[in-house]
Amino acid sequence: MIYSLSRKNIWRNKVRSLIVMGSVTVGLICGIFFIAFMNGMTVQRINSAIKSEVSHIQIHNPAFLDDNEVQYTIPNIAELTNLLDTTSTIMAYAPRITITGMIGSARSSEGVKIVGINPDKERIVTDIHTKITDSVPNYFGKKRPIMISKRLADKMRVKLNSKIVLTFQSTTGELTGAPFKVTALYQTSNKVFDEMMVFVPQQKIAAIAGLKSNQAHEIAILLKSDLQTADTKENIAEAFPNITVRTWKKIMPELGMMVDMMDSMLYVFMIIILVALAFGIINTMMMAVLERQREIGMLMAIGMNKKRVFTMIMLETIYISMTGAIVGMLISHLILSTLANTGIDMSLYAEGLEAYGYDKIIYPAIDLIHYINISVLVVITAIVSSIWPARKALKLKPAVSMRIE
Amino acid sequence: METVIKVEKLYKIYNETGVEVKAINGIDLEIKEGEFTAIVGPSGSGKTTLLNMIGGLDNPTSGIVEVGGVLLNEMSSSQLIDFRKNNIGFIFQSYNLIPVLTAKENVEFVMQLQGRSKKECSQRAIELLEAVGLGDRINSRPAKLSGGQQQRVAVARALASNPRFILADEPTANLDSKSTENLLDIMLKLNQKEKATFVFSSHDQRVVNKARRVIVVEDGKIINDDANN
C-alpha cells in the first residue's frame, strides 16, 4: 500500500520528478564514465606492465638487487626451475640475464639495460614480440642480433641491420663489449621502457659476459591469474629463502599504490557527485512535502502513523533516485559497451600519456561490482536525502496542516 | 442510549500572536451512541476546534475529552493516531481524497492501514461505494469526479474502517443544494445502517434541518442544545 502510494506520488509533478531523475541520470553517467575511464586506464597500465615489463613475479639474487653486478646470478637455479615447473599456478616463466651497459652507434651512445632472453620462453611470458614494428626474417637467429625500440633507434639514428656496440662489465669486473646487428624494432606505450630496454639472445650475452648458459639474473613468472600472485610468491620465497621474490606491486610500487588507491578515489569522486545531487533531491522532496501538508495532515488524521509517513517520503525519494540511477546506469552501460570496443583516442596527449606508460587509446572498463556499489550509494543518498523532508512531514500537526489552503 | 462522547470544562486558548483567543471557552457536552448531531454556528465560533478535539486532532488547553470511554487527553500522539484509525472516520470540508488513488483505492486505503486483507478491503470498498451511489465510478480518480461525488467517496472512506464515530467538518460547504441533499440522505441512511455516531459541524440550514440534534456554538460556548430543550 505504502509502496504503491509512494510510486504513484512521484508522478504528481511530472516535470519536477523528471528533472530530478534527469539530474541523477546525468550525474551517474558522468560519474560512471569517469570511473570506467580511470579504471580502464589503470587496468591497461597494469596489464601492459605485467605482460610487457615485469610479469606477475620476479626472482633475483638479493645481492644483484643491491649492487647490480653481473656475477650475482640466481643461486640453485636448477632446483628453483624444478619447483617452478611443478607449481600449478604458474603459466610460464622466463630466465633472463640483465646487465646495465652502454649502447653505442657511430653517432651516439646511450645507457641501457641489456636483457638476455630465451625467445621461446619469453614469447609466452611477455608480449614484447607483439610490439615489434619492423624486423628482418628470423630476427633472433642471426649471429649477434639485438632488438631495440624504435624510439631508441630514432634517438641513436640507427635502423634495421645497423651495427651497434654493447659495452658492459663482465663477471671478472673488466669492461667488455661486442658488436650487434639491429634485427628488430619494437614499440610499446611506455616511453621510458622503450628508451631503456634492449633485447639480445641469452646465450650470446652470457658468453660475452662470462656467464654459463644456464645462469640468469632474473626469472620472470607469468601466473594463470593475478589473484594467485601473493600465495605463489610466498610459496617460492619459503622454499628458497636465499633469493628475493617480488610481486609486480613490489617491483613497481607506484602501480601497486595506484591500484590500491584507485577504488577509493573513484568512490570518493562518486560520493562527491551524489552529495551534490542530494541537495537537489532534498529540495525537491521538501517542496513535495510542503505542497502536500494538507494531505499528509489528512493521512495522519485517518490513522497513518509516523513510521508509515516517514517510509512513504523515503520510498518516494528512493524511487525518484533509483529510477534516475537505473536509467543512468543503462545509458552508461550502452556508452561504455561501445567505447570498450572503439576506445577513446587520446592521441592529443599521447606523448604525456606514454611518458607515464599509458596507451593513447583508452578502453573504459567497469566491473559489475562497481554498478552494484553505485546502486547502494544511490540508495544511501536517497535515504539520507529523505530524512530532512520526512522529519518535516512528521512534525506536521493534522489539525493545523489541514487548515492550509 | 450510552454516552459515548463526553466533554467537560473544555477550553482551547490560542496565543500565537501574543493576543489570547479563546476558541473554546468552557464547553460541557455529552453525545449518545448512534446520534446524528450537528454543531452549528457562525464562522470562528469554535465548531471545527471542538470537532478536532473530539477527534483527537488537537489538544485542549484544559478540560476533558472522553470518546468511547477513552480519555484522549492522556494519550500520546502515536496512541491518538491508532485510536483514530480504529474508532473515528473523518469527512472534511474539501474532501481531502488522495488524488493519485482511485475512488476504490481511497476507500481501501484506510482499511489497509488497519491491516485488513486485500480481498476484504476490496469487497467493503465496492460495497460502500455502491451504497453512496458511486458503484460505476470506483476506478475514477478524484479529479474525474464532481465535488458531490468526491464528498460521497469521502463518506465511504470515513465508514470503511467500521468506526464508532464519524466526525464531519462542514461536509456540505462546497456542495450545491442537490448534492447536499443527496449526501445528507446517504449519511442518514448509513447512520442507521452502520450504527455509527455522527457529529458534524455546519452553518448550512439544510444540514441543520436533517440533524436529529443541533448544538449551537458561539464564541466558543454552547448557547443552545436540542438535548436540553
Side-chain angles (χ1 to χ4, degrees), chain A residues 154-192:
Chain A
D154 291 344
K155 202 171 171 185
M156 298 183 67
R157 296 187 192 170
V158 295
K159 50 189 181 182
L160 276 185
N161 292 316
S162 293
K163 274 195 177 168
I164 51 99
V165 175
L166 292 180
T167 315
F168 50 89
Q169 232 176 17
S170 71
T171 49
T172 57
E174 288 167 9
L175 206 61
T176 184
F180 283 79
K181 188 186 265 186
V182 178
T183 55
L185 298 172
Y186 72 90
Q187 183 163 1
T188 71
S189 56
N190 189 337
K191 192 179 172 189
V192 179

Side-chain angles (χ1 to χ4, degrees), chain A residues 17 42 88 91 121 136 146 173 184 233 254 288 314 318 357 379:
Chain A
S17 295
T42 311
S88 61
M91 182 183 275
K121 290 192 170 181
V136 301
I146 185 167
K233 180 237 162 191
E254 74 283 0
M314 195 181 71
I318 292 175
V379 172

Side-chain angles (χ1 to χ4, degrees), chain A residues 81-250:
Chain A
T81 51
N82 279 342
L83 173 71
L84 301 183
D85 286 333
T86 54
T87 303
S88 61
T89 54
I90 294 175
M91 182 183 275
Y93 65 90
R96 296 169 185 160
I97 287 173
T98 61
I99 301 172
T100 306
M102 298 289 290
I103 184 169
S105 69
R107 300 192 180 200
S108 68
S109 61
E110 298 286 339
V112 290
K113 192 170 179 181
I114 303 156
V115 185
I117 58 171
N118 177 328
D120 294 334
K121 290 192 170 181
E122 199 70 33
R123 212 177 173 80
I124 311 170
V125 175
T126 69
D127 64 356
I128 194 71
H129 62 282
T130 64
K131 311 287 182 188
I132 292 172
T133 54
D134 202 2
S135 69
V136 301
N138 189 20
Y139 55 89
F140 263 8
K142 306 292 175 191
K143 192 182 169 196
R144 276 191 185 148
I146 185 167
M147 177 169 80
I148 65 172
S149 73
K150 193 173 175 304
R151 281 195 180 92
L152 185 61
D154 291 344
K155 202 171 171 185
M156 298 183 67
R157 296 187 192 170
V158 295
K159 50 189 181 182
L160 276 185
N161 292 316
S162 293
K163 274 195 177 168
I164 51 99
V165 175
L166 292 180
T167 315
F168 50 89
Q169 232 176 17
S170 71
T171 49
T172 57
E174 288 167 9
L175 206 61
T176 184
F180 283 79
K181 188 186 265 186
V182 178
T183 55
L185 298 172
Y186 72 90
Q187 183 163 1
T188 71
S189 56
N190 189 337
K191 192 179 172 189
V192 179
F193 181 89
D194 283 9
E195 289 180 355
M196 197 65 191
M197 312 297 274
V198 299
F199 298 90
V200 293
Q202 187 188 6
Q203 300 219 339
K204 309 267 182 195
I205 199 75
I208 300 165
L211 294 166
K212 289 177 189 160
S213 62
N214 66 341
Q215 284 185 301
H217 297 117
E218 176 178 294
I219 296 177
I221 301 170
L222 182 70
L223 300 177
K224 287 172 185 164
S225 162
D226 185 36
L227 299 173
Q228 298 157 335
T229 305
D231 287 344
T232 310
K233 180 237 162 191
E234 283 306 316
N235 292 341
I236 299 168
E238 216 169 275
F240 292 89
N242 57 337
I243 55 170
T244 299
V245 188
R246 297 182 302 164
T247 64
W248 63 268
K249 280 191 180 179
K250 184 84 178 168

Side-chain angles (χ1 to χ4, degrees), chain A residues 228-274:
Chain A
Q228 298 157 335
T229 305
D231 287 344
T232 310
K233 180 237 162 191
E234 283 306 316
N235 292 341
I236 299 168
E238 216 169 275
F240 292 89
N242 57 337
I243 55 170
T244 299
V245 188
R246 297 182 302 164
T247 64
W248 63 268
K249 280 191 180 179
K250 184 84 178 168
I251 299 164
M252 300 182 93
E254 74 283 0
L255 265 190
M257 192 184 74
M258 192 164 78
V259 172
D260 294 341
M261 279 183 63
M262 189 53 73
D263 267 1
S264 320
M265 273 174 56
L266 296 179
Y267 285 114
V268 166
F269 180 77
M270 187 47 91
I271 288 167
I272 290 170
I273 288 181
L274 289 174

Side-chain angles (χ1 to χ4, degrees), chain A residues 34 39 52 54 84 100 104 106 119 188 195 273 344-345 370-371 375:
Chain A
F34 178 78
N39 190 48
S52 305
V54 293
L84 301 183
T100 306
T188 71
E195 289 180 355
I273 288 181
I344 302 168
D345 192 350
H370 284 110
Y371 282 117
S375 305

Side-chain angles (χ1 to χ4, degrees), chain A residues 1 8 294 298 300-301 308, chain B residues 84 94 96 105 112-113:
Chain A
M1 168 197 56
K8 287 173 179 170
R294 188 190 183 89
M298 178 277 294
M300 290 164 107
R308 281 179 163 148
Chain B
R84 290 197 297 265
S94 38
N96 280 8
E105 287 167 340
Q112 287 170 343
L113 287 176

Side-chain angles (χ1 to χ4, degrees), chain B residues 166-185:
Chain B
I166 304 284
L167 305 181
D169 185 17
E170 307 263 10
T172 58
N174 293 336
L175 302 183
D176 57 36
S177 48
K178 194 180 167 197
S179 299
T180 300
E181 200 69 28
N182 192 0
L183 185 79
L184 288 167
D185 287 342

